């Protein structure tokens, strides 16, 4: 076990994979200086400019060229800088990468990790703050990961690089510096949730940074005598339905919380799936951002945040209401 | 008359005739028999580019293509029967009936896919060349695209990328003067060759209906790319003798334009004439066409006889992790 940050954990996983496999390489803007969040620091020195490759400000081509390079046998890690800019490469991801294997009748694979730093961070406003994970979960062909801890950013990155499917890998910008113990013997399994805390009264389901807020909320709830189970999905596609179902069967209460807009968010998918599969003691709830745009001023930004207090409040309310 | 190798000239004619016969057979199957299900885009009139350029490619070299990709695919060595089955959506199609004409691909011969999205194949091709360079191979990648595709962003991004990373790739713009129903020049400021020059790529402008010229120049260019590892650009002026899709009457073209082009610069007729002048008999030339037509008719017969793909293959080859087949909900 070593203590490291969320950014360092992913960097270690990338470095180990690159040492083990010459076909793995990284490409994105400003990578030659370690990347805009320093999540590649040290790698240019170790691996050189061909394997930690700078790129022109050409998001469509970064994505498209990495895909072409994957088709001929390399295993690219694509850095999109901010999840928001990945929208400039939507055709390449959604129409090409996600579909190639199927459209070509299984002739090809696109073993790629597409890193998209997401989420609200330091008054970054509407074009540098979005959480669009539910879009990608909607696209057949893609694997979608949203790790919330240094351990998961290490273990999931390892699994993502080894995966032969294209993996959309969303790291939360607000927790680059979050520290935690990392066991480097671990490799994550897609669709296997982390039970971040066990409990018997209410199930809190989340992913990415909001999962950390759920853990905080669970601590508050414990102080009030409410035992909350926190399930961090880690990957949204595939997602661990069995773990959520088992927990809800035990607690009878479900709260899903995410930073992204509630409308059409992945929380709706979780709630709907559970509604088809089990019964509740109180109506399941989802917490997400109001359907507004992320603002610059801190007070405005805060109006859109799902907080630990809100999660605890919803859980408390669910203990009172009856389905 | 030009001095040329008759045997090679015949091989070029044969491949052009095979492409033409494939597409005429496919058009017949679409129009008369309603067997081809989706839209198909014919390259009738443009065969010389596919044939001339790919002649100097090895089997392990790569190409990417467009919605108008039958010619490129056949020229790269794909099996006509598997292609025809794909157009009919049948089992045994090169993509298992999942892609159809616009997603035709044969990775076994380095054909990395046609594309339903105009211009999208340009960045992919740049990437294939990038991958080759990273892996230390000596394969050349050829990217075929249309004149209309040069007005999308990926064109700029892709050729800049190839220039920046010094990639072994040949970009081939097949300028057939039209983008669907639009005269491309009406919607293009400046010209495409100048765009490539501005990026720093060596440009060859060529008569795209002269297979001899294209093959000769391509041999030089591709040898140079293989030796230097650096990108080049070819602009081939050609003409789409048919409509944009097989059901497009193309009435937006000036009266008589297509007829004149058919008379004056159909690459197949031109190559036949050249061979005739070089002493090949009309009987021999007709035999080339008859053989090609028979091959494609047999391909169509085989495709008609093939069953639909098994229903549950719709769940295959989506993804390994979280595949639809594993999903109970
Ligand atoms: C991004 C995108 N926009 C529009 C279309 C519709 N479309 C298909 S082919 C075509 C014309 C393309 O012209 P060009 O690149 O010159 O190729 P050509 O058809 O002449 O071979 C258009 C507009 C498309 N498939 N993709
Ligand atoms: Mg055109």
């Amino acid at each position: 076990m070593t203590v490291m940050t969320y950014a360092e954990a992913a960097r270690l996983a990338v470095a180990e994979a690159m040492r083990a496999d010459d076909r793995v390489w990284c490409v994105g803007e400003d990578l030659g200086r370690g990347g805009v969040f320093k999540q590649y620091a040290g790698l240019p020195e170790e691996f050189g400019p061909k394997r930690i490759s700078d790129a022109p400000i050409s998001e469509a081509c970064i994505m498209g060229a990495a895909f072409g390079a994957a088709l001929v046998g390399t295993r690219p890690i694509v850095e999109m800088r901010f999840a928001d800019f990945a929208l400039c490469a939507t055709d390449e991801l959604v129409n090409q990468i996600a579909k190639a294997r199927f459209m070509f009748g299984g002739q090809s694979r696109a073993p790629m990790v597409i890193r998209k730093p997401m989420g609200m961070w330091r008054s970054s406003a509407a074009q540098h703050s979005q959480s669009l994970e539910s879009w990608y979960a909607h696209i057949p062909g893609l694997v979608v990961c949203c790790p919330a801890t240094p351990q998961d950013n290490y273990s999931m990155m390892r699994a993502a690089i080894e995966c032969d499917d294209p993996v959309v890998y969303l790291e939360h910008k607000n927790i680059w510096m979050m520290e935690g113990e990392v066991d480097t013997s671990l490799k994550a399994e897609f669709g296997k949730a982390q039970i971040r805390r066990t409990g018997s009264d209410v199930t809190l389901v989340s992913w990415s940074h909001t999962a950390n807020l759920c853990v905080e909320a669970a601590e508050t709830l414990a102080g009030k005598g409410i035992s909350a189970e926190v399930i961090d999905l880690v990957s949204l596609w595939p997602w661990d339905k069995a773990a959520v179902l088992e927990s809800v069967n035990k607690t009878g209460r479900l709260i899903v919380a995410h930073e992204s807009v509630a409308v059409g968010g992945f929380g709706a998918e979780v709630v709907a799936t559970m509604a088809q599969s089990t019964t509740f003691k109180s109506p399941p709830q989802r917490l997400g951002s109001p359907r507004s745009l992320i603002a610059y001023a801190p007070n405005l930004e805060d109006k859109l945040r799902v907080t630990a207090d809100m999660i605890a409040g919803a859980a408390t309310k669910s203990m009172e209401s009856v389905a | 008359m030009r001095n040329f190798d008759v045997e090679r000239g015949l091989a070029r004619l044969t491949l052009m005739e095979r492409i033409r016969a494939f597409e005429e057979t496919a058009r017949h199957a679409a129009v008369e028999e309603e067997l081809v299900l989706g839209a198909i885009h014919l390259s009738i009139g443009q065969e010389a580019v596919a044939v001339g350029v790919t002649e100097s490619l090895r089997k392990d070299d790569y190409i990417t293509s467009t919605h108008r990709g039958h010619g490129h695919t056949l020229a790269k060595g794909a099996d006509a029967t598997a292609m025809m089955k794909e157009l009919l959506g049948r089992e045994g199609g090169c993509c298992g009936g999942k892609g159809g004409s616009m997603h035709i691909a044969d990775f076994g011969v380095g054909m990395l896919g046609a594309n339903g999205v105009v211009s999208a194949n340009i960045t992919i091709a740049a990437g294939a060349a990038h991958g080759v360079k990273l892996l230390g191979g000596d394969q050349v990648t050829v990217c075929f695209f249309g004149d209309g595709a040069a007005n999308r962003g990926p064109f700029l991004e892709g050729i800049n990328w190839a220039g920046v990373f010094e990639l072994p790739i040949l970009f081939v713009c097949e300028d057939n003067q039209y983008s669907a129903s639009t005269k491309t020049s009406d919607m293009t400021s400046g010209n495409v060759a100048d765009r490539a020059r501005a990026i720093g790529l060596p440009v060859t402008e060529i008569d795209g209906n002269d297979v001899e010229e294209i093959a000769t120049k391509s041999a030089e260019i591709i040898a140079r790319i293989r030796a230097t590892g650096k990108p080049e650009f070819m602009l081939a002026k050609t003409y789409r003798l048919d409509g944009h899709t097989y059901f497009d009457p193309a009435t937006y073209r000036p009266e008589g334009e297509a007829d004149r082009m058919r008379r004056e610069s159909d690459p197949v007729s031109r190559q036949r004439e050249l061979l005739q002048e070089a002493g090949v008999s009309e009987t021999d030339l007709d035999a080339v066409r008859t053989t090609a037509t028979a091959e494609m008719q047999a391909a169509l017969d085989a495709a008609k006889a093939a069953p639909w793909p098994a229903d549950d293959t719709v769940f295959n080859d989506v993804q390994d992790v979280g595949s639809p087949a594993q999903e109970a909900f």
Side-chain angles (χ1 to χ4, degrees):
Chain A
M1 291 279 217
T2 326
V3 173
M4 60 183 92
T5 67
Y6 183 77
E8 285 164 354
R11 182 168 74 217
L12 179 63
V14 169
E16 287 175 350
M18 289 184 71
R19 283 173 206 139
D21 186 346
D22 282 346
R23 297 170 303 169
V24 180
W25 62 296
C26 304
V27 58
E29 298 153 17
D30 296 302
L31 293 201
R33 270 72 52 217
V36 284
F37 298 107
K38 296 294 162 223
Q39 69 276 51
Y40 299 84
L43 302 188
E45 292 77 9
E46 180 174 355
F47 298 104
K50 270 179 129 180
R51 292 183 69 200
I52 301 291
S53 180
D54 273 327
I57 307 166
S58 301
E59 285 74 16
C61 199
I62 295 170
M63 191 79 88
F67 171 51
L71 290 180
V72 301
T74 74
R75 303 181 73 87
I77 298 173
V78 174
E79 178 56 57
M80 279 283 121
R81 193 181 193 117
F82 278 68
D84 313 72
F85 307 149
L87 302 188
C88 300
T90 305
D91 174 62
E92 287 70 19
L93 178 62
V94 174
N95 273 329
Q96 313 296 337
I97 294 169
K99 297 185 174 126
R101 175 176 171 187
F102 181 85
M103 286 193 304
F104 300 147
Q107 294 185 70
S108 63
R109 292 283 187 284
M112 309 171 63
V113 181
I114 298 129
R115 294 178 79 175
K116 300 183 172 187
M118 71 187 276
M120 284 192 259
W121 173 71
R122 284 209 216 151
S123 280
S124 297
Q127 295 175 339
H128 290 73
S129 302
Q130 293 168 92
S131 296
L132 297 175
E133 68 277 13
S134 67
W135 289 23
Y136 303 110
H138 195 70
I139 307 298
L142 300 178
V143 175
V144 183
C145 301
C146 303
T149 63
Q151 178 67 65
D152 286 340
N153 209 16
Y154 174 81
S155 329
M156 198 41 104
M157 181 61 82
R158 277 185 72 181
I161 297 170
E162 280 182 23
C163 183
D164 283 340
D165 295 324
V167 179
V168 175
Y169 199 92
L170 298 136
E171 289 158 288
H172 201 291
K173 300 193 288 290
N174 212 36
I175 51 175
W176 284 123
M177 301 310 288
M178 174 186 182
E179 290 193 335
E181 298 261 2
V182 174
D183 178 346
T184 56
S185 70
L186 297 179
K187 186 172 76 187
E189 219 180 286
F190 297 105
K192 186 97 187 68
Q194 293 283 5
I195 312 296
R196 299 275 298 269
R197 186 184 174 109
T198 54
S200 52
D201 294 330
V202 56
T203 301
L204 308 180
V205 174
S206 191
W207 52 89
S208 191
H209 182 42
T210 311
N212 300 327
L213 303 181
C214 286
V215 173
E216 234 180 281
E219 280 158 19
T220 310
L221 289 165
K224 295 198 214 166
I226 299 171
S227 164
E229 181 145 293
V230 179
I231 300 184
D232 178 347
L233 292 181
V234 193
S235 67
L236 291 196
W237 196 267
W239 66 284
D240 198 343
K241 294 171 190 136
V244 177
L245 186 60
E246 192 184 327
S247 179
V248 175
N249 280 340
K250 174 173 68 177
T251 64
R253 297 180 185 87
L254 172 66
I255 315 281
V256 188
H258 52 71
E259 183 174 313
S260 42
V261 169
V263 175
F266 199 74
E269 176 68 22
V270 175
V271 171
T273 304
M274 289 305 125
Q276 287 176 329
S277 320
T278 188
T279 53
F280 300 94
K281 292 178 187 158
S282 71
Q285 296 180 55
R286 62 186 162 129
L287 300 179
S289 169
R291 193 173 176 285
S292 188
L293 297 164
I294 299 170
Y296 177 73
N299 62 316
L300 301 183
E301 196 185 62
D302 282 348
K303 287 291 279 184
L304 306 179
R305 279 183 199 278
V306 170
T307 62
D309 277 354
M310 287 162 69
I311 297 164
T316 309
K317 209 173 111 205
S318 81
M319 297 301 295
E320 293 154 8
S321 58
V322 178
Chain B
M1 197 203 75
R2 261 191 304 202
N3 191 9
F4 81 107
D5 182 334
V6 171
E7 210 165 306
R8 280 196 168 192
L10 261 177
R12 288 165 189 160
L13 178 72
T14 303
L15 188 47
M16 288 200 293
E17 290 279 23
R18 288 183 64 231
I19 295 170
R20 174 103 16 133
F22 179 89
E23 294 200 312
E24 285 178 343
T25 306
R27 181 174 56 192
H28 173 87
V31 178
E32 308 297 334
E33 305 190 59
E34 296 182 13
L35 286 167
V36 174
L37 310 162
I40 54 172
H41 304 81
L42 306 175
S43 64
I44 291 176
Q46 306 181 196
E47 297 90 342
V49 187
V51 171
V53 172
T54 56
E55 188 181 286
S56 299
L57 293 181
R58 303 191 312 227
K59 187 175 175 190
D60 67 340
D61 287 330
Y62 297 111
I63 66 166
T64 71
S65 177
T66 68
H67 54 285
R68 206 175 298 288
H70 307 142
H72 309 136
T73 311
L74 274 170
K76 191 68 178 65
D79 173 50
T81 303
M83 288 174 63
M84 197 65 86
K85 284 181 181 168
E86 191 58 35
L87 265 55
L88 270 63
R90 302 303 170 95
E91 189 179 282
C94 42
C95 303
K98 286 171 166 175
S101 165
M102 266 189 281
H103 306 301
I104 210 124
D106 186 344
F107 280 62
V109 298
M111 197 293 172
L112 304 182
N115 214 300
V117 178
V118 169
S119 206
N121 69 316
I122 300 178
T123 63
I124 298 169
H130 201 137
V132 166
K133 184 164 181 173
L134 285 170
L135 295 169
D138 72 339
Q139 298 102 311
V140 170
T141 300
V142 171
C143 173
F144 293 102
F145 60 97
D147 42 316
N151 284 329
R152 279 202 68 226
F155 168 79
L156 169 78
E157 294 193 14
I159 64 173
N160 179 62
W161 189 281
V164 165
F165 292 103
E166 297 193 339
L167 302 177
I169 182 168
L170 174 61
F171 295 101
V172 179
C173 179
E174 295 180 311
D175 181 3
N176 62 11
Q177 304 174 40
Y178 286 90
S179 317
S181 70
T182 302
K183 182 86 182 158
T184 306
S185 58
D186 289 346
M187 290 291 123
T188 304
S189 184
N191 72 73
V192 173
D194 283 348
R195 292 179 187 179
R197 285 189 196 100
I199 297 282
L201 267 52
V203 174
T204 304
E205 294 189 66
I206 204 162
D207 176 352
N209 295 329
D210 182 346
V211 73
E212 294 297 319
E213 179 73 5
I214 299 168
T216 309
K217 278 272 157 52
S218 298
E220 287 166 24
I221 296 169
I222 288 167
R224 195 158 57 226
I225 293 172
R226 212 182 294 283
T228 64
K230 292 194 183 153
E232 301 208 21
F233 195 97
M234 178 185 282
L235 183 81
K237 282 260 179 214
T238 180
Y239 191 78
R240 189 192 77 205
L241 289 172
D242 256 46
H244 173 58
T245 55
Y246 75 87
F247 46 75
D248 169 23
T251 47
Y252 42 82
R253 299 195 286 209
E255 184 81 30
E257 181 184 270
D259 289 338
R260 181 175 52 79
M261 292 302 285
R262 198 180 297 279
R263 267 195 324 272
E264 293 172 8
S265 58
D266 171 7
V268 177
S269 308
R270 279 172 65 173
Q271 187 68 358
R272 271 181 71 109
E273 281 161 26
L274 206 59
L275 284 158
Q276 236 170 341
E277 284 170 34
V280 182
S281 73
E282 191 145 354
T283 323
D284 285 353
L285 293 172
D286 286 346
V288 172
R289 178 161 300 178
T290 317
T291 309
T293 308
E295 180 198 351
M296 300 312 165
Q297 186 56 49
L300 179 60
D301 292 342
K304 283 196 219 175
W308 297 111
D311 285 357
D312 54 7
T313 61
V314 77
F315 300 120
N316 296 349
D317 284 317
V318 175
Q319 54 196 124
D320 292 328
V321 173
S323 80
Q326 295 158 21
E327 288 304 318
F329 297 100

